[in-house]
Amino acid sequence: MKKAYRVKKEADFQKVFHQGKSMANRQFVIYALPKEGQAHFRVGLSVGKKMGNAVKRNDIKRKIRHVLIELNQEDKIKPEIDFIVIARKPAAQMDFYEIKKSLLHVMNKAELLNQ
């Protein structure tokens, strides 16, 4: 995923947390904040240390990014939105397809997907 598609700065993270709306299921929490005039979505990922060691956390982030890349190629994610995906403990035991299904579910609840 290109750097232009990532929320990197702490100030941007905090803005999404404090001003955005949240939606959750058992595996993921999503905070979303609409941003007018933005050419494409931006995403931030958060996987806590309780999920496992660095290798496990990076594996989870890689799978989440891969799902987002697939959705972006299909133009399913709305532009003009910043959102943050926070992985919860059950996500550590999931394979790629389970992560994709769960992420699609919570993104649909948060109204981040084009219909």
Side-chain angles (χ1 to χ4, degrees), residues 19-98:
Q19 296 176 10
K21 293 181 181 177
S22 67
M23 199 58 64
N25 63 10
R26 290 192 187 280
Q27 296 83 17
F28 298 102
V29 179
I30 290 185
Y31 287 86
L33 179 68
K35 294 205 53 185
E36 296 297 321
Q38 193 167 268
H40 52 76
F41 71 91
R42 294 189 317 157
V43 64
L45 300 178
S46 176
V47 180
K49 287 190 175 183
K50 289 182 180 180
M51 302 290 281
N53 62 12
V55 175
K56 185 64 178 171
R57 293 192 309 268
N58 288 337
D59 182 53
I60 294 165
K61 287 189 273 190
R62 192 176 312 113
K63 288 174 184 173
I64 294 170
R65 270 192 222 107
H66 190 75
V67 169
L68 294 172
I69 288 169
E70 281 186 5
L71 292 175
N72 187 34
Q73 288 172 345
E74 298 168 8
D75 287 328
K76 286 194 175 182
I77 302 174
K78 291 181 181 177
E80 298 187 352
I81 268 188
D82 281 359
F83 62 98
I84 296 173
V85 178
I86 301 171
R88 288 180 167 173
K89 191 88 170 153
Q93 318 313 319
M94 298 168 73
D95 66 9
F96 173 76
Y97 297 103
E98 292 170 326

